[in-house]
Amino acid sequence: MIYGGSSYGGYLAHLIAKIAPWHAQAILDNSCSPLPQLDYIIGREFDNDGEFIIFDGNLKIKLYSKTFWTCNANSKYCFTPAHYKIRSLLNTEHLKIQSEYAKDTLFISYHSAHDEFGTAKDKEKLYELYKALDFKAKLHLIKDEKELDKKFIRSLNHSLGMSDSGLFRKELPTILEQFRTKVFTQRQGKISYPCGNKIFTFKDEGEKFLLEIS
């Protein structure tokens, strides 16, 4: 399978490659953050300005995603360091485990060096680790306006002014050509990641994909 997307969609594509690497032959990403964004998980408890803000006359309306996660240590929904760690793409220990299953997965990413969310350095570090672990990974870090082709890459802001369809139009033909002579077989798999005192195990079981936490 080929997974891809922009921003959070690109993050989810990478996350699929982490938890089910045998099901991911290629990842196409535009501007995802390698680290979980706590503002979108437990942001309300930080008393931040909300994930989205609507201004209506004299009203400022803060909007948040509905979530059960909390900072309350006594809650069964307490968001712990282990929950953060399993969601992180930038984790050397986990990447070493992932590399044992996904040497052939192709990673292609675009990112602005001037991304206003300050995630460019993390993305560089992630792709350096991919290469060090022999993943087939290529990061296009756009640093200058001279690199804007005005067709797909239109700005130096987050997401580069590039749509999901533009990302796929730009990269998918080359990927399909690389895969033209390859034979892919559907298989069942299982992978485990230690996170502090917890172990997260992701596995296929019949037609289901399960998570076990021990």
Side-chain angles (χ1 to χ4, degrees):
M1 296 289 288
I2 298 173
Y3 298 94
S6 298
S7 195
Y8 190 63
Y11 166 75
L12 291 179
H14 280 87
L15 193 61
I16 290 170
K18 175 176 180 175
I19 67 174
W22 52 91
H23 290 314
Q25 279 68 54
I27 301 300
L28 285 175
D29 161 62
N30 174 15
S31 304
C32 89
S33 168
L35 299 175
Q37 300 297 296
L38 292 179
D39 280 352
Y40 303 131
I41 301 173
I42 48 177
R44 192 164 193 164
E45 298 193 22
F46 295 157
D47 195 28
N48 63 12
D49 274 340
E51 295 174 37
F52 309 98
I53 299 176
I54 297 175
F55 292 95
D56 183 10
N58 294 321
L59 293 177
K60 179 181 180 182
I61 304 172
K62 300 180 181 180
L63 305 177
Y64 300 87
S65 298
K66 184 177 181 179
T67 175
F68 289 106
W69 293 115
T70 176
C71 296
N72 184 352
N74 296 318
S75 171
K76 66 177 181 178
Y77 298 112
C78 178
F79 193 80
T80 68
H83 294 112
Y84 182 90
K85 193 172 183 180
I86 194 60
R87 288 165 172 78
S88 174
L89 304 174
L90 192 54
N91 184 305
T92 304
E93 180 185 16
H94 289 183
L95 285 169
K96 288 179 180 178
I97 296 171
Q98 182 181 342
S99 70
E100 298 174 6
Y101 296 80
K103 290 291 189 184
D104 293 329
T105 301
L106 179 63
F107 293 85
I108 299 175
S109 180
Y110 287 81
H111 210 100
S112 172
H114 306 281
D115 190 297
E116 56 266 38
F117 295 103
T119 55
K121 289 184 178 180
D122 290 335
K123 181 62 79 63
E124 280 189 280
K125 189 179 298 183
L126 173 63
Y127 272 73
E128 287 170 0
L129 286 170
Y130 277 151
K131 289 183 178 180
L133 293 168
D134 294 326
F135 285 93
K136 297 176 180 178
K138 173 64 177 177
L139 171 62
H140 299 275
L141 188 65
I142 310 302
K143 301 178 180 179
D144 192 275
E145 288 189 356
K146 295 178 182 178
E147 299 175 75
L148 307 181
D149 58 20
K150 301 301 181 181
K151 181 179 180 182
F152 298 111
I153 305 172
R154 300 186 178 94
S155 78
L156 293 174
N157 296 329
H158 180 67
S159 294
L160 297 165
M162 181 163 57
S163 65
D164 287 349
S165 60
L167 173 66
F168 275 84
R169 287 201 311 273
K170 186 173 179 62
E171 293 293 342
L172 193 56
T174 303
I175 292 176
L176 294 178
E177 180 61 27
Q178 291 182 48
F179 288 170
R180 186 169 58 85
T181 58
K182 288 190 176 184
V183 177
F184 298 102
T185 56
Q186 185 75 14
R187 65 186 180 91
Q188 302 265 298
K190 177 180 178 180
I191 192 168
S192 295
Y193 293 106
C195 299
N197 63 352
K198 292 183 173 64
I199 296 176
F200 290 75
T201 299
F202 302 89
K203 64 179 182 179
D204 291 298
E205 191 170 288
E207 296 183 356
K208 297 179 180 180
F209 189 73
L210 304 178
L211 165 62
E212 292 181 350
I213 303 176
S214 58

